[in-house]
């Protein structure tokens, strides 16, 4: 497995967050849960965010404590290992409440 540097991992996370926001733009929760392709795309991009967060250097994460790295990795693990038990209402809440803030924090880190 090749090692990506922190800058590329942060870029991966930004791209995935922006894809999720694009895919769910102008949707409500009912639209989201009824669209299996969008659900699959969103879940996949959350997996990428979590995996990239997991691969960041520990020193980088320690130096940037304003981002909840453990939460990102934990959410990814739950999606991957409990895919049959994903609560779409929680996913939707994260999209609405947390993802825009995460995206902005990551963009700040990329400059």
């Amino acid at each position: 497995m090749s090692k990506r540097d922190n800058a590329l991992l942060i870029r991966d996370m930004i791209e995935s967050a922006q894809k999720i926001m694009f895919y769910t733009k102008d949707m409500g929760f009912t639209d989201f849960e009824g669209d299996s392709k969008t659900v699959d795309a969103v879940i996949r991009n959350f997996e990428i965010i979590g995996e990239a967060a997991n691969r960041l250097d520990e020193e980088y994460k320690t130096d940037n404590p304003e981002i909840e790295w453990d939460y990102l990795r934990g959410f990814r693990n739950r999606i991957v290992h409990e895919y049959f038990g994903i609560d779409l209402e929680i996913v939707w809440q994260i999209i609405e409440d947390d993802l825009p803030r995460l995206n902005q924090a990551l963009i700040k880190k990329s400059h």
Side-chain angles (χ1 to χ4, degrees):
M1 170 172 33
S2 65
K3 174 137 172 66
R4 293 174 68 81
D5 71 17
N6 291 330
L8 290 175
L9 292 167
I10 294 296
R11 182 176 303 172
D12 291 342
M13 295 172 74
I14 292 168
E15 287 176 6
S16 288
Q18 290 176 342
K19 284 180 183 181
I20 292 168
M21 291 185 293
F22 177 76
Y23 297 155
T24 58
K25 185 181 178 204
D26 300 325
M27 282 187 145
F29 174 69
T30 304
D31 300 321
F32 172 67
E33 75 175 338
D35 184 344
S36 63
K37 284 193 264 186
T38 300
V39 169
D40 287 350
V42 164
I43 296 303
R44 173 66 180 138
N45 280 283
F46 272 125
E47 290 173 359
I48 292 168
I49 291 169
E51 185 63 28
N54 193 43
R55 292 178 184 218
L56 288 166
D57 294 337
E58 288 303 318
E59 181 179 344
Y60 182 88
K61 291 182 273 195
T62 301
D63 291 344
N64 295 281
E66 66 280 4
I67 297 176
E68 298 181 47
W69 304 111
D70 290 337
Y71 177 79
L72 294 174
R73 289 190 314 260
F75 186 61
R76 178 255 178 214
N77 289 341
R78 185 163 184 198
I79 288 172
V80 169
H81 298 294
E82 297 183 35
Y83 65 90
F84 54 87
I86 296 172
D87 185 334
L88 293 181
E89 288 181 2
I90 292 172
V91 172
W92 186 253
Q93 181 182 1
I94 291 168
I95 292 168
E96 288 195 320
D97 298 341
D98 302 322
L99 195 60
R101 189 172 52 246
L102 172 65
N103 187 54
Q104 289 304 313
L106 292 170
I107 289 171
K108 283 182 184 178
K109 297 293 161 203
S110 70
H111 295 290

